[in-house]
Amino acid sequence: MEPLMSVRNLKMHYPIKKVDSFTKYDLLKAVDGINFDLFEGETLGLVGESGCGKSTTRKLLLYVEEPTEGKVYYQGSNIFEMSKAELKKFRRNVQTVYQDPYSSLNPKWKVVKLVSEPMVIHKIGNRKSRAEKVKELMSLVGLREEYADSFSHEFSGGQRQRISIARALALDPRVIIADEPVSALDVSIQAQVINLFEDLKKQLNLTYIFISHDLNVIKHISDRVAVMYLGKIVELAGKDELFEDAKHPYTKALIRSIPIPDPEMDAKLASLEGEIPSPINPPTGCAFHPRCPEVMDICRRVSPEILPVAKSHEVSCHLYTNDSMA
Ligand code: SF4
């Protein structure tokens, strides 16, 4: 099956001005050569600690920023080389839901204006047909139609996120890139919004890229999972394979650190030691080596490539390359 989207050697390096020194700039390698495919109808989870490059990846996939290097193909065409008309079509087809439904929705606008704005921008329908579509979308996301004339500040966090989802669906997209869409919500509301994402996916035949730092959320919603560390994908596998047979020491540590609701288990929980290093001048070799319990000499010198270890399971670690013998 041909992928709906493909990401090839995508990099985003930001020059950061140095205060002292002869070279004027350091490079912040927010995204550093990632590759993956997105297949129609799947949910690809993108997980990692804060600062690992997940949100920069979202910006590049939506062409909010121009990458330093690399390509993002949508239905075979590189989005960074699309004509204006092609890009407009791409933007209709690939929509996003943001983390914070408080700052992403203008509190002075009524719901009808918030949800219909994408249709106005894309010159779709007239006032009446757009108002009808808004009602349809509201019922689709579980909000009462009469709320269309209320202001977004009158709603709870969960309801606001439903409004954001309705807005993202206004152009009948094929792909939704959701960036931490439940992390600003109470835990009790998170499950409802995740269930809504799942129902909508089935109903509308959507494809998701679901970005989260929360492995529980990723485990619940994803079909495949890409684990990011310091701008790189270090492991990519089907959800069950990743959670049952993780290979990369970072993925293993993340999985071990998922909270278990049993006090007797606390002593057995292994947490990841140390902070994520700065993406400015990251560690040499494998960027995870200062925190890795299985570090070898080669890890400090040579950056491991991401390679297949099984069908549809890729890992970037010297434990799984012949280089470890070097
Ligand atoms: Fe650990 Fe080395 Fe693998 Fe990096 S390459 S994760 S340091 S074993």
Side-chain angles (χ1 to χ4, degrees):
M1 183 170 39
E2 285 297 305
L4 192 54
M5 289 183 83
S6 293
V7 172
R8 294 292 175 265
N9 193 30
L10 194 62
K11 294 183 182 176
M12 189 71 219
H13 294 175
Y14 299 102
I16 304 286
K17 208 158 195 237
K18 280 185 176 180
V19 190
D20 51 347
S21 151
F22 304 108
T23 21
K24 286 193 176 147
Y25 292 96
D26 271 328
L27 282 183
L28 186 156
K29 297 181 177 176
V31 175
D32 197 21
I34 61 169
N35 296 280
F36 65 84
D37 293 323
L38 178 70
F39 295 95
E40 177 126 42
E42 76 167 338
T43 298
L44 176 68
L46 203 56
V47 70
E49 290 166 286
S50 156
C52 71
K54 305 184 299 289
S55 290
T56 307
T57 301
R58 175 186 61 77
K59 288 183 198 158
L60 298 175
L61 296 182
L62 293 162
Y63 200 177
V64 176
E65 291 196 26
E66 184 105 33
T68 310
E69 200 178 319
K71 293 178 173 145
V72 172
Y73 295 97
Y74 177 74
Q75 291 190 307
S77 301
N78 181 8
I79 63 169
F80 306 120
E81 291 169 356
M82 281 180 173
S83 66
K84 263 191 174 178
E86 286 171 324
L87 206 51
K88 197 170 173 197
K89 196 170 165 210
F90 166 76
R91 294 198 195 289
R92 276 185 69 163
N93 279 321
V94 183
Q95 290 285 310
T96 192
V97 174
Y98 296 98
Q99 172 176 0
D100 185 356
Y102 291 88
S103 61
S104 62
L105 298 176
N106 187 335
K108 292 181 188 150
W109 285 15
K110 289 183 173 175
V111 173
V112 64
K113 186 170 178 183
L114 287 165
V115 177
S116 59
E117 192 199 26
M119 293 182 270
V120 175
I121 293 171
H122 283 260
K123 299 187 174 66
I124 294 170
N126 54 34
R127 207 183 172 89
K128 192 167 170 239
S129 67
R130 288 195 289 264
E132 280 305 310
K133 176 86 177 178
V134 170
K135 283 186 185 169
E136 235 176 75
L137 289 165
M138 289 186 69
S139 116
L140 201 59
V141 300
L143 289 172
R144 284 164 45 189
E145 289 175 12
E146 55 265 36
Y147 290 162
D149 280 326
S150 304
F151 292 96
S152 68
H153 68 79
E154 296 173 50
F155 294 92
S156 67
Q159 286 172 321
R160 284 183 205 212
Q161 202 54 307
R162 287 175 191 268
I163 297 168
S164 303
I165 295 168
R167 186 179 152 91
L169 295 175
L171 299 175
D172 300 318
R174 293 179 70 183
V175 179
I176 301 267
I177 302 179
D179 190 358
E180 301 275 8
V182 296
S183 59
L185 306 177
D186 289 347
V187 176
S188 56
I189 307 296
Q190 285 186 0
Q192 293 172 16
V193 174
I194 289 171
N195 289 342
L196 174 63
F197 270 104
E198 288 187 314
D199 291 346
L200 291 171
K201 184 182 160 189
K202 279 186 220 139
Q203 244 174 297
L204 305 175
N205 200 18
L206 293 166
T207 301
Y208 291 151
I209 294 181
F210 211 92
I211 299 172
S212 178
H213 69 283
D214 185 335
L215 219 58
N216 268 327
V217 168
I218 290 290
K219 187 176 183 181
H220 185 88
I221 200 159
S222 307
D223 298 306
R224 291 189 304 138
V225 180
V227 180
M228 281 191 82
Y229 189 79
L230 272 190
K232 292 181 191 282
I233 290 176
V234 295
E235 187 155 8
L236 177 59
K239 187 252 301 272
D240 292 340
E241 190 155 353
L242 190 100
F243 282 90
E244 281 158 28
D245 190 21
K247 301 286 188 208
H248 197 283
Y250 178 60
T251 312
K252 289 182 192 173
L254 279 184
I255 291 171
R256 282 199 303 269
S257 66
I258 296 176
I260 298 169
D262 177 353
E264 288 181 18
M265 292 294 287
D266 279 359
K268 293 177 198 159
L269 283 180
S271 62
L272 196 53
E273 284 189 9
E275 296 286 310
I276 189 166
S278 165
I280 307 171
N281 296 325
T284 55
C286 169
F288 186 59
H289 85 250
R291 304 169 83 189
C292 182
E294 301 184 59
V295 60
M296 302 171 284
D297 187 40
I298 187 175
C299 307
R300 299 184 180 90
R301 295 182 281 110
V302 181
S303 175
E305 275 182 66
I306 188 154
L307 296 170
V309 287
K311 192 168 175 270
S312 310
H313 190 164
E314 297 171 15
V315 184
S316 163
C317 174
H318 288 303
L319 291 170
Y320 306 95
T321 63
N322 293 331
D323 289 351
S324 61
M325 307 309 289

